[in-house]
Amino acid sequence: MDYWIQLFINRNSITSMGAEENLNAILKKYYPGEFRLEIIDIMEDPDKAEEAGILAIPTLIRKWPAPEVRLIGALTVQTRVLAGLGIANVDHLQKQ
């Protein structure tokens, strides 16, 4: 496994559902490697959200590789998500 990613959402939130769709599209398009993606609905698993110190949703956490990285928001800007995850060199994407 190259990456371990957690996405904390509320399935009753349009923003959260958009973040899940955006993340899945980004991973499918830009990351061919192996990864573990956990989608955690804070309404179904509030203990896990509290344990992770989630203050806002949606929150994406790259658990592995270290260091841990957190992104908050709908994950609509692909270059920010890719840079935050450290998945790709985004310089060429920013020029498009």
Side-chain angles (χ1 to χ4, degrees):
M1 174 182 63
D2 298 332
Y3 281 85
W4 175 18
I5 301 166
Q6 293 178 321
L7 180 62
F8 289 83
I9 63 169
N10 177 344
R11 292 201 190 276
N12 295 322
S13 161
I14 292 171
T15 303
S16 287
M17 299 311 295
E20 183 177 358
E21 289 176 18
N22 292 335
L23 179 60
N24 282 320
I26 289 168
L27 291 173
K28 182 177 179 181
K29 184 174 182 179
Y30 294 106
Y31 192 70
E34 291 184 35
F35 59 87
R36 174 180 170 191
L37 174 60
E38 292 180 75
I39 306 293
I40 302 154
D41 186 332
I42 64 167
M43 300 304 285
E44 294 177 4
D45 200 346
D47 292 338
K48 204 163 194 173
E50 184 175 339
E51 179 182 310
I54 300 301
L55 300 174
I57 56 152
T59 295
L60 180 150
I61 302 174
R62 185 191 74 190
K63 301 289 283 186
W64 180 258
E68 182 176 293
V69 174
R70 291 178 179 231
L71 301 173
I72 297 172
L75 309 177
T76 56
V77 181
Q78 288 186 357
T79 53
R80 288 185 187 165
V81 176
L82 290 168
L85 291 174
I87 286 178
N89 179 347
V90 296
D91 290 343
H92 72 285
L93 297 173
Q94 292 174 336
K95 294 176 183 173
Q96 295 178 353

